Amino acid sequence: MIFRNYNLIYLAKPRFGGWVTFTAHLKHALEETGAETHLYRVGKTRENVLRDYGYSVKYNNLDLKSAVGLANTGRTIITAIDANYLKEGAALLKAGARLVIHDPTEMKGDLLQVVKDTGTEPIVIRAENVHNLAEHGIKSHFIKHPYVRHAESHPRPRVNNAVSFSRLDWDKHIHIMAGANLLLPPNKQISIHGFENRLYTHHKLTNDFPNWRDCYHGAFGNAWGVAANMAGNSNFVVDMSVIKGDGGGSQYTFLEAWDGESVLVVNRGWLSKREKTVEDGVTAIAVSTAEELADLMKSGLSSAELKNIIGNTTDILNERSSSKIVGQYDALFS
């Protein structure tokens, strides 16, 4: 096996959500293929102590000068960047680091200007975003989400009818689930988990659905595999998220649902003509309203429908295996 070394640098504040999950899966995937892989966060000083990142991953704090040195000498990937780290990002990109852009919410003036100024060709994880960046005159590389499977096998019927483990935020449309739960008996309700944006939960959920917390079970932490195993205990995983200008491809909640052999329920607004990883009646069930969601929770699926949808997701997970995804990263640095 040829020795390979990767440096992953996380240039963002959030400690939950897709950026964090992506970084952890990429590190695990690289290590599964034999790559020596280190994760760093950039700060004022370089530390030797390993800190807990979550998802069975450790990281070091590193000063910018040392981080630039790594980018100058080896495979370095900025796994996520927010507005607080644009200066650091620019320095690393000039030194040869690669950048992952996850969705259109990141495609704003300042970051796009850094990308253009440094001649960077970002990595994107959904095909829709190749088109989005091209509209800004930026060439990009589409590499699907890395996903390291870890769900345990669970028999059917399962403990929960339906579960949600997205963040509780505006773009996740948790209020559709809250509305559906009002129409459902307790044994058919959607069990809601996830980290709260309290502005959203106060101004939207509590304002419109005062008793929504009856079905809320809090954040579930960042233990490796916890979400996939929650999916494995549930008949359905519900994710009502929509990102303007994006869709069709995978998110980590989707992959965790499929890993747990649960039926994924998505917002119809996520479907796309450009990418059909998520397709109504094929790999997921799409709904638009609380009433449609409640009707699905009540009726369920036939055994034939269930078998068909679960069977169709196996190839999606295989396409995101460590060997297939890491090979594409290796090719970028060859």
Side-chain angles (χ1 to χ4, degrees):
M1 184 177 292
I2 299 172
F3 174 78
R4 292 130 60 235
N5 182 75
Y6 274 87
N7 304 301
L8 307 182
I9 301 183
Y10 183 75
L11 292 181
K13 297 288 187 183
R15 293 182 177 269
F16 299 92
W19 290 353
V20 177
T21 310
F22 169 86
T23 301
H25 273 275
L26 180 57
K27 187 172 190 297
H28 284 296
L30 288 163
E31 290 173 342
E32 277 197 347
T33 63
E36 183 176 326
T37 309
H38 302 275
L39 174 61
Y40 301 98
R41 294 174 66 103
V42 173
K44 294 181 179 179
T45 59
R46 180 172 189 160
E47 298 179 348
N48 292 322
V49 62
L50 283 171
R51 299 178 179 273
D52 185 37
Y53 180 82
Y55 304 105
S56 298
V57 169
K58 302 289 185 181
Y59 76 94
N60 292 103
N61 283 319
L62 194 67
D63 63 278
L64 180 58
K65 182 178 179 181
S66 297
V68 168
L70 293 175
N72 273 318
T73 58
R75 297 178 174 93
T76 299
I77 301 170
I78 301 170
T79 62
I81 186 169
D82 66 21
N84 299 289
Y85 291 93
L86 293 178
K87 177 183 175 183
E88 292 84 352
L92 288 164
L93 293 173
K94 288 176 183 177
R98 291 280 186 174
L99 170 67
V100 180
I101 291 181
H102 298 256
D103 64 57
T105 64
E106 301 160 53
M107 299 175 195
K108 297 176 181 176
D110 291 341
L111 177 57
L112 291 183
Q113 193 60 52
V114 167
V115 169
K116 290 178 179 178
D117 290 346
T118 57
T120 297
E121 295 181 358
I123 299 159
V124 297
I125 41 76
R126 283 187 289 273
E128 195 76 41
N129 292 308
V130 175
H131 172 75
N132 289 332
L133 285 169
E135 289 189 332
H136 295 283
I138 297 170
K139 181 182 177 182
S140 60
H141 302 270
F142 172 40
I143 302 179
K144 296 170 183 176
H145 286 98
Y147 188 79
V148 178
R149 298 193 68 168
H150 44 226
E152 300 167 3
S153 178
H154 293 273
R156 296 182 187 275
R158 299 185 172 194
V159 173
N160 300 312
N161 183 53
V163 66
S164 165
F165 39 76
S166 303
R167 287 177 294 107
L168 278 62
D169 215 333
W170 300 96
D171 60 332
K172 299 300 181 182
H173 295 80
I174 304 297
H175 48 278
I176 295 177
M177 300 179 216
N181 280 342
L182 290 178
L183 304 173
L184 291 167
N187 67 325
K188 296 292 185 180
Q189 288 176 335
I190 303 154
S191 177
I192 299 171
H193 304 251
F195 182 78
E196 284 187 64
N197 174 343
R198 293 190 180 277
L199 287 174
Y200 170 72
T201 57
H202 174 73
H203 290 289
K204 182 61 179 177
L205 289 183
T206 302
N207 186 63
D208 292 354
F209 307 96
N211 297 321
W212 73 273
R213 288 186 185 275
D214 291 347
C215 295
Y216 178 55
H217 302 278
F220 54 88
N222 55 3
W224 185 236
V226 63
N229 283 305
M230 288 171 64
N233 270 316
S234 305
N235 294 317
F236 296 95
V237 169
V238 183
D239 187 326
M240 292 286 99
S241 60
V242 176
I243 302 172
K244 185 178 180 181
D246 202 352
S250 56
Q251 298 189 56
Y252 274 106
T253 49
F254 300 178
L255 295 167
E256 288 156 344
W258 294 329
D259 191 6
E261 296 190 343
S262 182
V263 174
L264 174 66
V265 184
V266 299
N267 194 316
R268 197 172 300 278
W270 184 258
L271 303 180
S272 167
K273 293 181 180 179
R274 201 181 305 277
E275 185 180 354
K276 293 185 178 292
T277 298
V278 179
E279 192 169 4
D280 186 23
V282 179
T283 57
I285 301 294
V287 300
S288 299
T289 65
E291 291 75 16
E292 282 186 88
L293 179 55
D295 287 345
L296 175 63
M297 294 299 98
K298 290 175 186 175
S299 64
L301 297 178
S302 70
S303 58
E305 290 171 321
L306 176 67
K307 183 178 179 180
N308 180 58
I309 289 175
I310 297 302
N312 289 336
T313 63
T314 302
D315 287 344
I316 296 172
L317 292 169
N318 289 340
E319 289 167 359
R320 288 155 176 78
S321 66
S322 299
S323 59
K324 291 192 176 181
I325 297 302
V326 170
Q328 295 174 67
Y329 279 90
D330 286 343
L332 282 181
F333 287 98
S334 62

